[in-house]
Amino acid sequence: MKAFTPEIEVAIARTRDEVAALHSELVRNGLVAWTGGNVSGRVPGADVFVIKPSGVSYDELSPENMIVCDLDGSIIPDTPGSERAPSSDTAAHAYVYRNMEHVGGVVHTHSPYATAWAARGEAIPCVLTAMADEFGGEIPVGPFAIIGDDSIGRGIVETLSGHRSRAVLMRNHGPFTIGRDARDAVKAAVMLEDVARTVHIARQGGEPLQIPQGAIDSLYDRYQNVYGQHAKAVLP
Amino acid sequence: MKAFTPEIEVAIARTRDEVAALHSELVRNGLVAWTGGNVSGRVPGADVFVIKPSGVSYDELSPENMIVCDLDGSIIPDTPGSERAPSSDTAAHAYVYRNMEHVGGVVHTHSPYATAWAARGEAIPCVLTAMADEFGGEIPVGPFAIIGDDSIGRGIVETLSGHRSRAVLMRNHGPFTIGRDARDAVKAAVMLEDVARTVHIARQGGEPLQIPQGAIDSLYDRYQNVYGQHAKAVLP
Amino acid sequence: MKAFTPEIEVAIARTRDEVAALHSELVRNGLVAWTGGNVSGRVPGADVFVIKPSGVSYDELSPENMIVCDLDGSIIPDTPGSERAPSSDTAAHAYVYRNMEHVGGVVHTHSPYATAWAARGEAIPCVLTAMADEFGGEIPVGPFAIIGDDSIGRGIVETLSGHRSRAVLMRNHGPFTIGRDARDAVKAAVMLEDVARTVHIARQGGEPLQIPQGAIDSLYDRYQNVYGQHAKAVLP
Amino acid sequence: MKAFTPEIEVAIARTRDEVAALHSELVRNGLVAWTGGNVSGRVPGADVFVIKPSGVSYDELSPENMIVCDLDGSIIPDTPGSERAPSSDTAAHAYVYRNMEHVGGVVHTHSPYATAWAARGEAIPCVLTAMADEFGGEIPVGPFAIIGDDSIGRGIVETLSGHRSRAVLMRNHGPFTIGRDARDAVKAAVMLEDVARTVHIARQGGEPLQIPQGAIDSLYDRYQNVYGQHAKAVLP
């Protein structure tokens, strides 16, 4: 068993609790069906992250069956949960953590409205002030990539690097979101589905009105710095 | 600490309870995502209102963390909750209370169907008897306005003054509703989303039929005066 | 207080329980918003029916606050609940009971998909075997009628008399359903919304295929006589 | 009473528990209305299967009222539940078990999005990686067939034999899904509705992008063999 310091052991335990609990938000917000979807969180101060096991029912998820992986996506042996297979999207999560060091959480779902935009390979235009607040503009589309190598992770990183959006619509697949920590990435997944749905509905009845770019910029700036109980760290 | 009379202290406590509890109706009726949305209520007999803190989870809202503000939107110091930041929409709520004295409650959400009409800047036509009952006609659109000054509050007041509707669709943003008290404003938010959805669905299949203006008028009149367990005060 | 026989008192008590409990099915199936919607049930062996009070929250409904009315829609004085106003749709329910003696239950909602068809004044075509089973063909549209006289009740009775359907879409208003008893009318309201939604969705993607009339007839016949744990009484 | 070996009695009891419990997944995932929908499971090692009674509320389903049938769909007399009528779709389930020996579970629903595709008689195109994973390509349409003879069962078997999909959209009727066991068939019903909805929504906004056939093939192959906590048996 790999020797972590006591401080890291505490941080791992806390991340297990947090990641396990956050999965219930995917269910509560209608983002996932059956065992689909996954949340991971980077352990502060260590080169490891915590992720959901593969194909396990949401009712059975607990801190103990979360899986600890290193940044190559390999399971840390002899840790709780290490006897199980991690989420089949683990390689994509690991790629993001290796290449975006400010990212502390990653979420993947097939939430229906966001995935519908992804199926058409169409970015979601920023026609809501809530999108400007949360994502700073449109939600971009990532490339078509199938599981089995680094191509999903690479597609996420290439699309989101230098972009304000914490969400990417992987073509014909579904959304990935990133955040400061796992909770922030889950929030992005929830807000993404909300705006994907609202803009879809809006467009069914005609063309939504544009928001001037200057207004988008100032909404994004204010929200990233002022909203909530304390100013938020801005993602690069 | 500002000295309120004992009667006002009781009224504040009652409004805290009411406003905190009413937030759960936003969740139950699917009007809000994550920490979005807010309810406020004017304290009867005092120039203060009670509003939700900013960016706090719906699960954690309680009477104690509601925030008491004066009609300029400033927090009353040394009251429970005053250490937190109030809803980022507090200035808009305050503007409404300052300028519409018959209003005792204000609600803001990004409920998906109402917000979709707002994204197109399109009023919801009155093609349902339930709309005639509850809103007396179409749901109007308010101007595009961004947070940071009085422009949202002013847009609400200018659109709803002299209008039968207790709901306004702020362009590219979402709905605000007003009411006699916080509960009445929440009811308006729930009914608004219900009619926004039904009229949207109706229009996807063709043109809804018109309701004659005379029928709209008599439905509205009856509902405001007869429905429920007692005649309701009519909003001016 | 009107003197009922002990047997009728027992039947009234049972109907109160049943009608109060059935309202929760309207909520559970997403057919109602806020205090909208109502269920009533005829008391077997007596010329009275039990209905919901007006404008009361679904959480507060109980057998005790249900209201007993005669077939003119007048409250039976000095019975539990008689101090409250009954549903504003009571006159329509009473008209149905007076004029359709085989009807033992009536339900009214503004369920969104059924109401959307009603807003266009368009019958729902029978393109699903489940519709043939349950309704024996299309769901018809009733006239535009506003509250205040017998016109809603008359519209329901005229549309459904001699029709297989237990559901009518009142124009610009919403559905009313009837049944052998209150439970059967609630079932019809639930199944109506289900088929209203499915046929709506089907039509968004193109024209649904027709079902031959002979197949509709034999499905309806079988379902009315064979389905469930015992053969059902056929509505005339 | 037919004499089963003690081992078979244990297997029957286990299948009763499983089939009864799985019905709650239909409700939880929004696939059924009122008493519609049914799940059955083949008892390993015996020529019998367990199915839901007809027209019974989902709240009242329990292991004891599940019904044991032979592969002709006849109730095994003198077993718990045998006094009730089985699901009206029992003949279709039995036909599948008789003719597809690798099938251990069958599910039927009228889930709204899948049924909408069925109403148009239109296959769901494989434009999502999740569809490639789970179904290996498009979801096919089965013939129009009405209850009363073998035609529904025959339509299911003819459509799914030699097809990768575990789901078929019976024309103007709704979906049937099959699986290794009852749980696998329920999973297919849940995933089917999820993709039926997402592809429907995608198409409302334009044409979804195609996935190359080679990518569909490799996604299907990987998912059938690698996903989850152990390699899955591949359906022929």
Side-chain angles (χ1 to χ4, degrees):
Chain A
M1 180 163 170
K2 183 164 173 184
F4 289 114
T5 65
E7 290 75 16
I8 298 295
E9 290 288 0
V10 168
I12 289 173
R14 201 178 296 134
T15 309
R16 283 180 182 277
D17 289 351
E18 186 177 292
V19 170
L22 282 166
H23 279 92
S24 70
E25 293 290 343
L26 304 188
V27 175
R28 167 145 81 153
N29 288 280
L31 306 188
V32 291
W34 208 248
T35 64
N38 37 73
V39 178
S40 70
R42 192 196 288 264
V43 176
D47 282 342
V48 299
F49 64 96
V50 170
I51 194 165
K52 166 174 168 277
S54 178
V56 172
S57 155
Y58 276 88
D59 291 345
E60 293 168 27
L61 296 182
S62 68
E64 292 69 36
N65 58 28
M66 295 294 111
I67 298 174
V68 185
C69 293
D70 65 24
L71 298 193
D72 291 321
S74 303
I75 299 176
I76 306 292
D78 300 319
T79 53
S82 62
E83 72 288 0
R84 310 186 93 139
S87 163
S88 57
D89 297 299
T90 298
H93 290 243
Y95 191 97
V96 173
Y97 290 120
R98 277 203 309 283
N99 290 281
M100 300 182 93
E101 57 182 60
H102 62 284
V103 169
V106 177
V107 172
H108 173 48
T109 79
H110 297 163
S111 64
Y113 285 90
T115 301
W117 291 90
R120 290 192 310 269
E122 185 176 1
I124 309 175
C126 182
V127 295
L128 300 172
T129 55
M131 287 186 72
D133 286 344
E134 191 68 48
F135 299 105
E138 70 165 25
I139 310 292
V141 174
F144 181 74
I146 71 172
I147 221 160
D149 57 21
D150 273 349
S151 59
I152 294 178
R154 212 166 50 234
I156 299 166
V157 169
E158 288 175 4
T159 310
L160 295 184
S161 292
H163 203 291
R164 284 175 180 171
S165 174
R166 308 202 310 295
V168 53
L169 306 168
M170 294 299 284
R171 222 199 83 184
N172 293 103
H173 183 176
F176 281 81
T177 58
I178 58 175
R180 268 171 297 127
D181 51 29
R183 184 171 186 80
D184 189 44
V186 170
K187 181 191 179 190
V190 171
M191 298 311 286
L192 167 64
E193 182 65 4
D194 191 50
V195 300
R197 180 174 56 170
T198 299
V199 179
H200 173 84
I201 296 168
R203 282 220 318 198
Q204 287 186 277
E207 245 354 90
L209 301 167
Q210 301 290 316
I211 301 181
Q213 186 62 42
I216 292 174
D217 293 345
S218 60
L219 284 166
Y220 180 66
D221 182 60
R222 186 199 67 88
Y223 192 75
Q224 298 308 309
N225 292 289
V226 178
Y227 181 76
Q229 293 303 324
H230 45 74
K232 293 170 27 173
V234 185
L235 292 178
Chain B
M1 181 165 170
K2 181 162 174 184
F4 290 114
T5 65
E7 290 76 16
I8 298 295
E9 290 288 1
V10 168
I12 289 173
R14 201 179 296 135
T15 309
R16 283 180 181 278
D17 288 351
E18 187 177 290
V19 170
L22 282 166
H23 279 92
S24 70
E25 293 290 343
L26 304 188
V27 175
R28 169 146 78 153
N29 288 278
L31 307 188
V32 290
W34 208 247
T35 64
N38 37 72
V39 177
S40 71
R42 191 196 289 265
V43 176
D47 282 342
V48 298
F49 65 97
V50 169
I51 194 166
K52 166 174 169 278
S54 177
V56 172
S57 155
Y58 276 88
D59 291 347
E60 293 168 26
L61 296 182
S62 69
E64 291 70 36
N65 58 27
M66 295 293 112
I67 298 175
V68 186
C69 294
D70 66 23
L71 298 193
D72 291 322
S74 303
I75 299 176
I76 306 292
D78 300 320
T79 53
S82 62
E83 72 288 1
R84 310 187 93 141
S87 164
S88 57
D89 297 300
T90 298
H93 290 245
Y95 190 96
V96 173
Y97 290 121
R98 277 205 308 282
N99 289 281
M100 300 183 93
E101 58 181 60
H102 62 284
V103 169
V106 177
V107 172
H108 174 48
T109 79
H110 297 162
S111 65
Y113 286 90
T115 301
W117 290 90
R120 291 192 311 270
E122 185 176 1
I124 309 176
C126 182
V127 295
L128 300 172
T129 55
M131 286 186 72
D133 286 345
E134 191 68 48
F135 299 105
E138 69 167 25
I139 309 293
V141 174
F144 180 74
I146 70 171
I147 222 159
D149 56 21
D150 272 349
S151 60
I152 294 179
R154 213 166 49 234
I156 299 167
V157 170
E158 288 176 4
T159 310
L160 295 184
S161 292
H163 203 293
R164 285 175 179 172
S165 174
R166 309 202 307 295
V168 53
L169 306 168
M170 294 300 284
R171 223 198 83 184
N172 293 103
H173 183 177
F176 281 81
T177 58
I178 57 174
R180 267 171 297 127
D181 52 29
R183 184 173 187 78
D184 189 44
V186 170
K187 181 191 179 190
V190 171
M191 299 310 287
L192 167 63
E193 182 64 5
D194 191 49
V195 301
R197 180 175 56 170
T198 299
V199 179
H200 174 84
I201 296 168
R203 283 220 317 199
Q204 286 186 278
E207 247 350 271
L209 300 168
Q210 301 291 315
I211 301 181
Q213 186 62 42
I216 291 173
D217 293 345
S218 60
L219 284 167
Y220 180 67
D221 182 60
R222 185 200 68 86
Y223 191 75
Q224 297 309 309
N225 292 289
V226 178
Y227 181 76
Q229 294 302 325
H230 46 74
K232 293 171 24 175
V234 185
L235 292 177
Chain C
M1 179 164 171
K2 183 164 174 184
F4 290 113
T5 65
E7 289 76 16
I8 298 294
E9 290 288 1
V10 168
I12 290 173
R14 202 179 295 133
T15 309
R16 282 180 182 278
D17 288 351
E18 188 177 290
V19 170
L22 282 166
H23 279 92
S24 70
E25 293 290 343
L26 304 188
V27 175
R28 169 145 78 153
N29 288 279
L31 306 188
V32 289
W34 208 247
T35 64
N38 38 72
V39 177
S40 71
R42 190 195 289 266
V43 176
D47 282 342
V48 298
F49 65 96
V50 170
I51 194 164
K52 166 173 168 279
S54 178
V56 172
S57 154
Y58 276 88
D59 291 346
E60 294 169 26
L61 296 182
S62 69
E64 292 69 37
N65 58 27
M66 295 293 112
I67 298 175
V68 185
C69 295
D70 67 24
L71 299 193
D72 290 322
S74 303
I75 299 176
I76 306 293
D78 300 319
T79 53
S82 61
E83 73 287 359
R84 309 187 93 139
S87 164
S88 57
D89 297 300
T90 298
H93 290 244
Y95 191 96
V96 173
Y97 290 121
R98 277 204 309 283
N99 289 280
M100 300 183 92
E101 58 181 59
H102 62 284
V103 169
V106 178
V107 173
H108 173 49
T109 78
H110 297 162
S111 65
Y113 285 90
T115 301
W117 291 89
R120 290 193 309 270
E122 185 176 1
I124 309 176
C126 182
V127 295
L128 300 172
T129 56
M131 286 186 72
D133 286 345
E134 191 68 48
F135 298 106
E138 69 166 26
I139 309 294
V141 174
F144 180 74
I146 70 171
I147 222 160
D149 58 20
D150 272 349
S151 60
I152 294 179
R154 212 165 50 234
I156 299 167
V157 169
E158 287 176 5
T159 310
L160 295 183
S161 292
H163 204 291
R164 284 174 179 172
S165 174
R166 309 204 304 297
V168 52
L169 306 168
M170 294 299 285
R171 222 198 84 184
N172 293 102
H173 183 176
F176 281 81
T177 58
I178 58 175
R180 267 171 298 126
D181 52 28
R183 184 172 186 78
D184 189 44
V186 170
K187 181 191 179 190
V190 171
M191 298 310 287
L192 167 63
E193 182 64 4
D194 191 50
V195 301
R197 180 175 57 171
T198 300
V199 179
H200 174 83
I201 297 169
R203 282 219 319 198
Q204 287 186 277
E207 246 350 271
L209 300 168
Q210 301 291 317
I211 301 181
Q213 186 62 43
I216 291 174
D217 294 345
S218 60
L219 284 167
Y220 180 67
D221 182 60
R222 185 199 68 86
Y223 191 75
Q224 298 307 310
N225 292 289
V226 177
Y227 181 77
Q229 293 303 324
H230 45 74
K232 293 172 22 177
V234 184
L235 292 178
Chain D
M1 180 164 169
K2 182 162 173 184
F4 290 113
T5 65
E7 290 75 16
I8 298 295
E9 290 288 1
V10 167
I12 290 173
R14 201 178 296 135
T15 309
R16 283 180 181 278
D17 288 350
E18 187 177 290
V19 170
L22 282 165
H23 280 91
S24 70
E25 293 290 344
L26 304 188
V27 175
R28 168 145 80 153
N29 288 278
L31 307 187
V32 291
W34 208 246
T35 64
N38 37 73
V39 177
S40 71
R42 191 195 289 265
V43 177
D47 282 342
V48 298
F49 65 96
V50 170
I51 194 165
K52 166 174 169 278
S54 178
V56 172
S57 154
Y58 276 88
D59 290 347
E60 294 168 26
L61 296 182
S62 69
E64 293 68 37
N65 59 26
M66 295 293 112
I67 298 174
V68 185
C69 294
D70 66 23
L71 299 193
D72 291 322
S74 303
I75 298 176
I76 306 292
D78 299 320
T79 52
S82 61
E83 72 289 359
R84 309 187 93 139
S87 163
S88 57
D89 297 300
T90 298
H93 290 244
Y95 190 96
V96 173
Y97 290 121
R98 279 203 308 283
N99 289 281
M100 299 182 94
E101 58 182 58
H102 62 284
V103 169
V106 177
V107 172
H108 174 49
T109 78
H110 297 164
S111 64
Y113 286 91
T115 301
W117 290 90
R120 291 192 309 269
E122 184 176 2
I124 309 175
C126 182
V127 295
L128 300 172
T129 56
M131 286 186 71
D133 285 345
E134 191 69 48
F135 299 106
E138 69 165 26
I139 310 293
V141 174
F144 180 74
I146 70 172
I147 222 160
D149 58 19
D150 272 349
S151 60
I152 294 179
R154 211 164 52 232
I156 300 167
V157 169
E158 287 175 5
T159 310
L160 295 184
S161 292
H163 203 291
R164 284 175 180 171
S165 175
R166 311 203 305 297
V168 53
L169 306 168
M170 295 299 285
R171 222 199 84 184
N172 293 101
H173 183 176
F176 281 82
T177 59
I178 59 175
R180 267 171 298 125
D181 51 29
R183 184 172 186 80
D184 189 43
V186 170
K187 181 191 179 191
V190 171
M191 298 310 287
L192 167 64
E193 182 65 4
D194 191 50
V195 300
R197 180 175 56 169
T198 300
V199 180
H200 173 84
I201 296 168
R203 283 220 318 199
Q204 287 186 277
E207 246 351 270
L209 300 167
Q210 300 291 316
I211 301 180
Q213 186 62 43
I216 291 174
D217 293 346
S218 61
L219 284 166
Y220 180 67
D221 182 61
R222 185 200 67 87
Y223 191 76
Q224 297 308 309
N225 292 288
V226 178
Y227 181 76
Q229 293 303 324
H230 45 74
K232 293 170 25 174
V234 184
L235 293 178

